[in-house]
Each structure stands twice: as structure tokens, then as C-alpha cells.
């Protein structure tokens, strides 16, 4: 007999929060608004599956957090490429669509200038 712990709604909320973070904080560093809008239409990092076990949900959260850490680093060194690819493959195994290669981010960072994006979170917000 094997005991499996089911994932809980707060884990799925955390996964969704991490995905929103990628769209608002990571993608604008590398891509323009048109590209990010296309990613939304293609359902990049969107899953229609529930993560059946606690382990699955934690693996997905860990993979996304690892990708965030790599992509937020100031230098996208080759040392990160293997870890990046491993985490992308794990996300694909869990049904999350992430159609990027490490080199795409390296090239995009080199070409991207610092423009404002409608996807980035405002630095300040006025509450009325």
C-alpha cells in the first residue's frame, strides 16, 4: 500500500502566483508587449491539469522558482543552461507549455532595451 498526499488549493494558487510573476516581472525583461500578448494566447505556463499529488505541485513550484532565479540573474551564463533545460523539461512533463530555449533568453536580453511594458507591475499605485 502506498500513501499519497493530495495537493491543496493554496499550492495551486502559489503556482498561479509564480506564473503571474513571470508574466509581469520576467517576460518584460526579455520580450516586448506583443510577444507577451502572444504568449498569453498560446497559454504559455498555463495548465489545465490539477496537480494530483503534493509532490507534483512542489516540483512544479520548484521548477518555476528556479527558472525565475536564473532569468533574474544579471548574467545569463552557460553554467545555468543545463539547470534551465532540466526544469523546462520537468514543466513539460507536468503539462505546462514553456516553448523557450536558454539561448532565446540570452539573445533577447542582448537585444531588449529598457522600455515600459503594460505587463509590468506599477512601481507605485494610487488608491482612490
Amino acid at each position: 500500500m502506498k500513501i499519497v498526499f493530495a495537493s491543496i488549493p493554496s499550492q495551486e494558487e502559489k503556482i498561479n502566483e509564480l506564473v503571474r510573476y513571470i508574466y509581469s516581472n520576467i517576460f518584460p525583461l526579455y520580450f516586448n508587449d506583443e510577444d507577451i500578448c502572444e504568449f498569453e494566447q498560446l497559454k504559455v505556463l498555463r495548465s489545465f491539469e490539477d496537480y494530483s499529488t503534493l509532490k507534483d505541485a512542489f516540483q512544479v513550484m520548484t521548477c518555476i522558482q528556479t527558472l525565475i532565479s536564473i532569468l533574474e540573474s544579471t548574467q545569463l551564463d552557460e553554467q545555468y543552461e543545463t539547470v534551465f533545460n532540466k526544469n523546462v523539461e520537468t514543466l513539460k512533463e507536468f503539462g505546462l507549455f514553456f516553448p523557450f530555449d536558454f539561448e532565446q533568453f540570452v539573445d533577447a536580453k542582448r537585444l531588449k532595451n529598457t522600455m515600459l511594458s503594460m505587463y509590468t507591475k506599477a512601481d507605485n499605485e494610487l488608491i482612490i
Side-chain angles (χ1 to χ4, degrees), residues 19-114:
V19 170
R20 284 191 304 274
Y21 184 86
I22 286 181
Y23 271 91
S24 64
N25 293 71
I26 304 298
F27 283 163
L29 297 173
Y30 297 94
F31 304 106
N32 61 38
D33 286 354
E34 293 84 27
D35 291 336
I36 298 170
C37 183
E38 185 177 337
F39 301 157
E40 284 183 326
Q41 292 172 352
L42 293 172
K43 308 245 186 277
V44 170
L45 285 176
R46 305 288 186 207
S47 176
F48 300 105
E49 301 175 15
D50 289 332
Y51 306 102
S52 56
T53 67
L54 198 60
K55 179 184 176 195
D56 293 350
F58 274 118
Q59 277 188 289
V60 169
M61 285 189 292
T62 303
C63 287
I64 294 172
Q65 289 170 332
T66 302
L67 292 177
I68 289 170
S69 295
I70 291 170
L71 295 173
E72 281 184 331
S73 67
T74 55
Q75 294 290 328
L76 290 179
D77 297 330
E78 293 175 6
Q79 66 183 359
Y80 298 127
E81 188 170 5
T82 304
V83 175
F84 179 91
N85 291 334
K86 180 181 183 294
N87 284 281
V88 169
E89 284 304 312
T90 302
L91 290 176
K92 287 178 182 177
E93 289 171 13
F94 286 104
L96 287 162
F97 181 56
F98 194 77
F100 305 104
D101 293 326
F102 184 76
E103 280 300 314
Q104 286 177 278
F105 286 99
V106 172
D107 293 341
K109 189 165 195 158
R110 213 180 3 233
L111 298 174
K112 177 77 170 145
N113 57 13
T114 54

